[in-house]
Amino acid sequence: MKSIIRNNFISLFTIISLNSLAQEIKFNDTSKLIKPTLFADLGETCTTPDAMALDKKGNLYLSVLNPTSFDKNGAKILTFDKNDKPAIWFDKLPLHPISKRVHPMGIDFGPDGNLYVMDNQCFTNQLNASRIIRVNIRNGKPIGTDVLVEGLNFAEAIRWKNNRAYITDALTDATGRKSAIYSFELSEMNKAKIVLTSENKTNYLISEFTLKPEVTKKSIGIDGIAFDKKGDLYAGNFGDGVITKFEFNNNGTVKSKKVIFDSDKLKCCDGFFYDKKRNSIFIANYDDNSVYQFNLTTNTITLIWKNDNNNGSDGQLDNPCETIIYKGNLIVVNYDTFLGDKNTEIDNFHTISKFKL
């Protein structure tokens, strides 16, 4: 009985502590909004754009996974010319040997200058078949690929810190409520392909997450991640909007894990991007057609823009999924592939929005 009382007390203390941490962050949705303009119309062959990345020269890249139009349009990585016009950079990503498809989502440049791609095979109805693919680059041009990791399920975001890749798997169990962050050392990926199994996944596990019990609709879990200038990792949950912060020891192990924001005011977090100049994380809210700035200096989450259902042709948001700062502006990708809370129709415009901050 004493142990039960003690455990209940500890659980209550934990909840109170987490709630007090969440309350430290101010939420401002009444500030002056910044109306977006159209950055790019991607055309009919890019029906599902997703993630963005910048190389060392500041060039912008975009993954296009096309889950509903793959047979017609394939998948590809785009880049943008000096006039910000999109062009195909690479469309030869390796097809999965079973599905004969590839669906690139999260992308990021590694410390070796190569592009690392999250291939989400859940769109082919395969479980635990998603992969991490490397596009090898020489003089700015793709010269080939390597499949580095197999056995992920709902492969989402990837971010690098030093020589280690951190990735999100937004669905990790049959209940559809659990998700995880894993980490892989570059040197280990270079030795041989890593094949994840139920037995060895814990060797790479950083943290597991569970959707809040009040979330009853079908959803996914942990999605966007970003490192700040101190090396702390911030992770946003797609299904409930909870934001978690991680601090690390020098050897890469987790020093602390804290829920820092948990509020009905932000029920969905998709893509995260950290901007060092503003010491801020820019958050795409896919469900709500909105985008936010999380200022880490002032500990404030501020609404930048929100709109109702829109086809995105004038630059307004249409299922925003990813954010990035490019040439000083906030660039937001519109996913617009599946019906949702505000996305009441699937249209023929495939766009990226721009905000002048």
Side-chain angles (χ1 to χ4, degrees):
M1 179 61 71
K2 286 183 179 179
S3 63
I4 294 174
I5 294 173
R6 178 178 178 274
N7 290 337
N8 286 341
F9 175 78
I10 291 173
S11 298
L12 178 62
F13 177 79
T14 301
I15 292 170
I16 292 172
S17 297
L18 293 180
N19 285 340
S20 63
L21 281 167
Q23 291 169 3
E24 291 178 4
I25 296 177
K26 299 181 288 291
F27 189 90
N28 182 2
D29 57 0
T30 60
S31 62
K32 183 179 179 180
L33 302 181
I34 303 172
K35 188 174 182 178
T37 57
L38 184 65
F39 173 74
D41 184 343
L42 301 172
E44 296 179 358
T45 65
C46 298
T47 56
T48 310
D50 189 55
M52 296 176 288
L54 298 169
D55 65 15
K56 291 181 179 179
K57 294 182 178 180
N59 298 308
L60 179 65
Y61 297 79
L62 171 72
S63 65
V64 180
L65 63 153
N66 288 348
T68 61
S69 68
F70 183 84
D71 291 339
K72 180 180 180 180
N73 299 316
K76 61 203 80 176
I77 307 293
L78 303 184
T79 190
F80 294 79
D81 65 19
K82 63 181 181 180
N83 296 314
D84 297 332
K85 299 299 181 183
I88 294 175
W89 180 74
F90 190 61
D91 59 0
K92 298 295 188 294
L93 290 166
L95 303 181
H96 191 280
I98 296 176
S99 71
K100 307 302 181 185
R101 295 169 66 153
V102 60
H103 296 299
M105 294 197 76
I107 57 175
D108 198 20
F109 284 90
D112 54 5
N114 297 314
L115 184 66
Y116 290 76
V117 179
M118 300 288 282
D119 168 34
N120 193 328
Q121 287 291 317
C122 269
F123 291 108
T124 70
N125 296 317
Q126 286 197 93
L127 298 177
N128 300 312
S130 294
R131 308 174 293 172
I132 301 178
I133 298 169
R134 178 171 60 206
V135 180
N136 299 302
I137 300 171
R138 183 180 300 163
N139 298 323
K141 304 294 183 181
I143 60 171
T145 60
D146 299 306
V147 176
L148 303 176
V149 179
E150 293 180 348
L152 297 163
N153 193 42
F154 202 96
E156 271 282 4
I158 179 169
R159 291 286 184 259
W160 282 87
K161 180 187 177 186
N162 299 326
N163 289 312
R164 183 174 287 274
Y166 293 78
I167 67 94
T168 60
D169 189 334
L171 284 175
T172 57
D173 77 331
T175 70
R177 303 193 64 81
K178 293 187 179 297
S179 55
I181 295 176
Y182 297 100
S183 179
F184 303 93
E185 185 74 34
L186 178 58
S187 59
E188 185 176 0
M189 288 191 287
N190 283 337
K191 288 179 182 177
K193 181 170 64 178
I194 299 171
V195 180
L196 298 175
T197 65
S198 57
E199 289 77 23
N200 71 4
K201 275 187 176 181
T202 55
N203 298 334
Y204 306 95
L205 181 66
I206 294 296
S207 180
E208 290 185 308
F209 305 81
T210 303
L211 282 173
K212 294 162 62 174
E214 55 263 41
V215 177
T216 56
K217 68 177 182 179
K218 185 178 181 181
S219 189
I220 56 175
I222 209 71
D223 194 322
I225 51 175
F227 284 98
D228 68 8
K229 60 185 177 183
K230 296 187 295 184
D232 297 335
L233 180 65
Y234 295 78
N237 201 305
F238 184 96
D240 56 26
V242 172
I243 300 175
T244 305
K245 177 182 177 180
F246 293 85
E247 296 177 327
F248 295 91
N249 296 307
N250 291 334
N251 63 359
T253 58
V254 175
K255 180 179 179 181
S256 68
K257 172 187 175 181
K258 297 177 183 177
V259 171
I260 59 170
F261 192 77
D262 181 354
S263 169
D264 286 342
K265 293 183 177 181
L266 184 68
K267 295 183 179 181
C268 174
C269 291
D270 202 328
F272 274 24
F273 179 79
Y274 175 72
D275 175 40
K276 186 176 181 180
K277 177 181 177 180
R278 297 171 179 85
N279 193 30
S280 294
I281 295 171
F282 290 90
I283 303 170
N285 186 331
Y286 174 98
D287 280 349
D288 197 35
N289 273 357
S290 56
V291 63
Y292 293 84
Q293 179 178 352
F294 178 13
N295 189 311
L296 303 182
T297 302
T298 63
N299 241 13
T300 302
I301 296 177
T302 302
L303 176 66
I304 294 175
W305 180 257
K306 179 192 296 189
N307 57 256
D308 291 323
N309 181 67
N310 192 281
N311 65 17
S313 60
D314 63 352
Q316 293 198 66
L317 299 176
D318 191 7
N319 274 157
C321 62
E322 284 286 333
T323 61
I324 206 165
I325 298 295
Y326 174 63
K327 296 183 178 179
N329 296 311
L330 173 63
I331 307 299
V332 182
V333 176
N334 296 302
Y335 195 85
D336 186 31
T337 301
F338 304 107
L339 297 178
D341 292 356
K342 282 192 173 180
N343 197 40
T344 57
E345 59 180 339
I346 308 302
D347 54 70
N348 293 322
F349 294 96
H350 314 295
T351 62
I352 302 176
S353 304
K354 180 173 75 172
F355 297 83
K356 291 186 177 181
L357 299 176

